Amino acid sequence: MLKYAIKRILLMIPTLLAVAVLVFLVLRVVPGDIVELKLTAEGGEVSLEQIEAEKTRLGLNDPLHIQFIKYMSGLPKGDLGISLWTEEPVSEEISARIGLSFELALLSTFLAVIIAFPLGTLSALFRGTFVDYIIRIITIGGIAVPSFWLGMLLIMLVLSFGKLPPLGTVSLFVDPLTNFNQMIWPAISVGYRYTSVVSRMLRSSILEVLSEDYIRTARAKGLYEKVVIVKHGMRNALLPTITVIGLEFAFLLGGLVVTESVFNLNGIGKLFVDSVVRNDLNLLQGLVLTVATSFVVINLIIDLFYAALDPRIRYQS
Amino acid sequence: MLNFKKSIVGVLTLAAFTFTGNAALAASCPKTGGIMKFGVKAEPPTYDMHGTNSYAVMHFVAQHYSTLLTFDWNKFPKLEGDVADTWNQSADGLKYTFKLKKGIKFHDGTALTSADVKATYDRLRNPPKGVISVRKALFSSISSIETPDDNTVVFNLSKPDAFMMDGFASPFNAIYSAKDIAKDPKWHLKNINGTGPYKFTSHSKGESWKAVKYDGFHHGDNCLDGTEGYRIKKLGEPLIGGQIMAEWRGTSPPERVMLKKEMGDDVSFQAKTLMTLWVVSLNSKTEAFKNKKVRQAINMCIDRHAGLKKLAKITFTAPRPSGYLLYNSTYALPDEELYKIPGFTKDIDASRKKAMAMLKEAGAEGLEFTYSNRAVSHPYDHIAIWLMSEWKKCGLKPKMMTNPTSKFVKIRREGGFDATIDWAPSFLPDPTLMHFKYISSDRTASNYSKYIDRDLDKLFDGQAGETDVAKRKAIVHQFEKKALENAWVLPVTYTDRVIALNSKVKGYVIANSHILNNTWRGVYLD
């Protein structure tokens, strides 16, 4: 198992290096000028000399290979450079916001898991019945409805009952009630889709597992149906479902671009939008790397989890 | 008995004094306390007021600073002292002497002296390496600054400058502490220490900006306990949902209808024409546009009189035409003269007929050209769609290219367009401030048409040095006529600024620009 884990961890390094190189090159092709934007977008008299001097100061006039060497040599030290907009370290910009995105992803996952498991199981066990049809309508609706649109509906719903929660992130550890009030609505708007995806996957997996020979054997042995479902069916059906939960969680860390904007939440998603709008190349690189790292780490955890659950995987590798 | 009478008179006198004293206090702060929460749709790129034109900086940062002079918002553009107590100008217009108010202190407790004013203006007109002063050109006529004593500052000019007094009231020219500048010329990019009504407490990036009342504020009309600014994406829901009480930039007409419907009497509106002029710049490198008649024809196809009225119903543009200077302001071209210039006449059918004949004569019938647009809904998309339809009525074939702001500004700077939307923001309808954009491109970086016109340069310099209002007006009118007839830069119209406030917010007086009156002096919550 240890050998397997080390091998998987070592594989992360070339993956992340490839992402770092690719994102650097792709962003250099994107047109736009952050200095021009910063100094002249709202009018004003700024000379070309001033703009060029500012670009030089920020290192944007350095040859591409110098910029690349600076960027790559900073990575092993965790130095992602400075944001070209705020001139603060990229790592600080990201760390100031990642907590909120993480909390939202965690809350959405919690909601999704506690709702999706009973829904997916019921839907599979009562396949082709009224219960299955109702659950399928709900879950297909969840996949079809965009999260941001649901978010806007939720805001209207909250407004019809009173006031919106206050702006500005309130820490869970300082004021849990206000924090819950701020997070629950975006969590529902994201969690609905998440629930639907997990529930559909669980349903399919259970149905597939229930048609396996070993389930027929278990039933033929005269085991209780409860034991057949929980011990033999669910355990095996969980494997692909866990993969989906993990990948969805990783996606939420950087993918709540529109939802965070709709709810005015200061997370990674909103920072993504800001950095794209401003053409803040350093910040974008840092954000893509952060999201890629979280994807790779979560994939690693899933793989290790798989290996722990299914010995065939560790032996094969 | 006499003593008793004296006592009565004394009590009455004291009562009268107390009453008038309270009345004076009540006039500036009828109520005190509370936190005013407001929304801003952008993030400040810097804290340095000298190095930016960003309204986000103004809305968050201006409350922490004072300027030498300021405006009387009820009698705008009448000047009044901010840190200056009294001032005078020499007869030849070459010397300005300011006496500063005594006892003013920075938020860190150090006293404000003339050395701070000198250090501030030296940083503005001659910024050290690595520091950007975006309005440096406006101070080119200052030759030296003297500080005879702690409370006196003297500005010596190399030539008379009609704009100079108003420049001292520019909200961007915040007074910094000489000590802070000496410590590090770039200190103000990330730190704040001013003498303004509210003291900076925290900035949570991308989210909020918090400030508390500065008890030592020299005007004493900072009525709130503090302010909290929040980064918002849209105005509607945060205002209706009680998350914010104000947004200072402006609302569009459909948004106003929605707010009124949802909030009823809980929302109030204030309106004034904003001194941002929307213009279309034609590229002087485009072959077809080198012919003046083609440029004039493009201008003459636009029905400003009927079209702008309709446009004003869907976005925040003014419902009437204007030259480069704000209509009805002191130096603006009177309407009867403006409406004689090609492109501004009221008979649109005749204007378009003539335009098409001119295009034919120039061999530019059905001319195809690109129009660079900024990917922002209000008012860019609305103006663009309107202009496209107007030009098509003359058989022209404009092709719109819409790009995000960072790409749009790059295209604008590099001249990758035939025609581009552009804007000229200002805080005052002053010709020096507002005509600077239209002089030769080797003298101004904001002339994106990139033409050279020495006649315009000469007229510009003439008015800038003319302190007699009537004489200056005559020169300015010549400039307007010549530039409008040249038709390199086509004015669309000014902006209608309407702000929405929660009805609890009182004492705010809207100004002609969203960069003005952002210190919240006299604003209170009721």
Side-chain angles (χ1 to χ4, degrees), chain A residues 27-60:
Chain A
L27 288 179
R28 263 55 196 182
V29 182
V30 175
D33 187 336
I34 191 169
V35 175
E36 182 87 38
L37 177 74
K38 214 168 162 179
L39 297 178
T40 68
E42 294 185 48
E45 179 58 32
V46 183
S47 67
L48 268 179
E49 290 72 32
Q50 281 176 304
I51 288 174
E52 286 308 312
E54 188 64 0
K55 280 185 187 169
T56 304
R57 189 178 71 80
L58 292 170
L60 293 170

Side-chain angles (χ1 to χ4, degrees), chain B residues 157-185:
Chain B
L157 272 60
S158 55
K159 57 185 180 193
D161 190 333
F163 168 71
M164 193 49 71
M165 277 304 279
D166 291 325
F168 291 127
S170 163
F172 283 112
N173 300 337
I175 305 290
Y176 292 164
S177 158
K179 164 181 69 68
D180 296 334
I181 295 173
K183 194 160 54 188
D184 176 4

Side-chain angles (χ1 to χ4, degrees), chain A residues 9 32 46 48 55 71 111 115 117 131 197 213 215 223 244 251 281:
Chain A
I9 291 168
V46 183
L48 268 179
K55 280 185 187 169
Y71 163 63
L111 285 177
I115 298 169
F117 271 63
V131 175
V197 171
D213 290 345
I215 296 290
L223 289 178
V244 169
F251 164 76
L281 303 180

Side-chain angles (χ1 to χ4, degrees), chain B residues 76-206:
Chain B
F76 183 79
K78 188 187 165 206
L79 293 167
E80 63 177 34
D82 193 348
V83 301
D85 192 16
T86 59
W87 56 93
N88 63 64
Q89 185 183 345
S90 65
D92 59 4
L94 293 175
K95 192 175 193 174
Y96 295 84
T97 306
F98 293 89
K99 290 278 180 194
L100 307 180
K101 285 173 185 158
K102 288 180 182 169
I104 298 177
K105 284 187 175 172
F106 283 95
H107 295 163
D108 69 352
T110 54
L112 180 139
T113 68
S114 54
D116 299 309
V117 178
K118 176 177 162 50
T120 297
Y121 277 86
D122 280 340
R123 188 179 188 271
L124 279 164
R125 69 195 185 95
N126 192 16
K129 203 179 170 200
V131 172
I132 288 180
S133 171
V134 293
R135 284 161 294 275
K136 180 182 168 182
L138 292 172
F139 302 102
S140 58
S141 53
I142 297 176
S143 56
S144 66
I145 303 170
E146 294 165 24
T147 52
D149 61 57
D150 276 357
N151 286 304
T152 309
V153 59
V154 180
F155 292 83
N156 296 306
L157 272 60
S158 55
K159 57 185 180 193
D161 190 333
F163 168 71
M164 193 49 71
M165 277 304 279
D166 291 325
F168 291 127
S170 163
F172 283 112
N173 300 337
I175 305 290
Y176 292 164
S177 158
K179 164 181 69 68
D180 296 334
I181 295 173
K183 194 160 54 188
D184 176 4
K186 290 198 268 184
W187 188 84
H188 295 87
L189 271 71
K190 292 185 181 181
N191 299 280
I192 288 173
N193 178 31
T195 56
Y198 296 97
K199 198 173 163 179
F200 174 72
T201 54
S202 69
H203 174 206
S204 173
K205 286 184 188 68

Side-chain angles (χ1 to χ4, degrees), chain A residues 41-43 45 87 165 169 266, chain B residues 53 190 205 207 243 423 444-445:
Chain A
E42 294 185 48
E45 179 58 32
E87 297 186 34
T169 315
N266 193 29
Chain B
N53 289 306
K190 292 185 181 181
K205 286 184 188 68
E207 186 170 273
Q243 292 178 317
W423 51 98
T444 174

Side-chain angles (χ1 to χ4, degrees), chain A residues 31-34 36-48 50-51 54-55 57 85-89 92-93 96-97 100 152 155-156 159 162-170 261-266 270 273-274 276-279, chain B residues 37 43-46 51-56 130 132-137 186 189-190 204-208 230-234 237-238 240-244 249 374 404-407 409-410 412-413 423 425 436 443-446 448 504 514:
Chain A
D33 187 336
I34 191 169
E36 182 87 38
L37 177 74
K38 214 168 162 179
L39 297 178
T40 68
E42 294 185 48
E45 179 58 32
V46 183
S47 67
L48 268 179
Q50 281 176 304
I51 288 174
E54 188 64 0
K55 280 185 187 169
R57 189 178 71 80
W85 186 260
T86 62
E87 297 186 34
E88 297 287 348
E92 275 182 29
E93 294 284 345
R97 292 160 171 98
L100 185 136
M152 290 196 282
I155 287 177
M156 286 165 72
L159 277 175
K163 290 188 172 182
L164 291 171
L167 288 172
T169 315
V170 176
S261 294
V262 168
F263 286 94
N264 258 319
L265 293 174
N266 193 29
K270 199 170 151 203
V273 178
D274 286 346
V276 170
V277 169
R278 294 169 189 156
N279 210 39
Chain B
K37 295 181 179 184
E43 180 73 359
T46 175
T52 185
N53 289 306
S54 161
Y55 79 91
I132 288 180
S133 171
V134 293
R135 284 161 294 275
K136 180 182 168 182
K186 290 198 268 184
L189 271 71
K190 292 185 181 181
S204 173
K205 286 184 188 68
E207 186 170 273
S208 64
Y230 290 97
R231 174 86 192 279
I232 56 166
K233 185 163 172 62
K234 282 167 70 187
E237 288 86 4
I240 297 166
Q243 292 178 317
I244 58 165
R249 204 177 186 205
R374 186 181 180 184
T405 307
S406 63
K407 190 176 171 189
V409 290
K410 192 173 165 66
R412 186 179 63 172
R413 169 71 73 193
W423 51 98
F436 199 66
R443 289 187 55 188
T444 174
S446 56
Y448 296 108
K504 285 179 189 163
H514 57 290

